[in-house]
Amino acid sequence: MPERTVVLGSAQGLHARPAKIFVQEAARQPVPVFIRIGDRAPVPAGGMLGVLSLGAGPGAEVILSADGDGADAVLDELAALLARDLDAEPGSAAGAAP
């Protein structure tokens, strides 16, 4: 199963606003995506409660995984999203131009 490790770019970590943006984008993908921290069990990336339960603070390293056709492209897109400071993008929403 392909994986990507990414350091969170949001200054406040993966709290409600950046988590919402990430979860919405992950839920749109054609393959199931999972996110985890370290050796903890992965949670579905398309579920807000699971993502928030990670408690991923600023600069945390998260691991994304997905399986299926197009998984590599999906992971690249979601990793790039998490690497950005989503808190610094006024009015940003998943899919909106920065």
Side-chain angles (χ1 to χ4, degrees):
M1 180 180 298
E3 291 186 344
R4 298 292 182 280
T5 300
V6 60
V7 174
L8 296 179
S10 288
Q12 301 301 315
L14 202 51
H15 68 92
R17 184 171 181 269
K20 178 183 176 189
I21 294 168
F22 170 71
V23 166
Q24 287 176 337
E25 193 60 32
R28 288 189 185 111
Q29 301 307 316
V31 296
V33 180
F34 297 89
I35 183 171
R36 67 183 163 86
I37 293 179
D39 292 333
R40 292 174 53 189
V43 298
M48 187 69 161
L49 290 178
V51 171
L52 289 175
S53 75
L54 295 172
E61 189 174 86
V62 298
I63 298 116
L64 301 174
S65 60
D67 200 17
D69 290 340
D72 283 311
V74 165
L75 292 175
D76 289 343
E77 179 183 335
L78 292 174
L81 179 68
L82 287 177
R84 296 185 349 223
D85 186 354
L86 299 174
D87 287 315
E89 298 178 16
S92 72

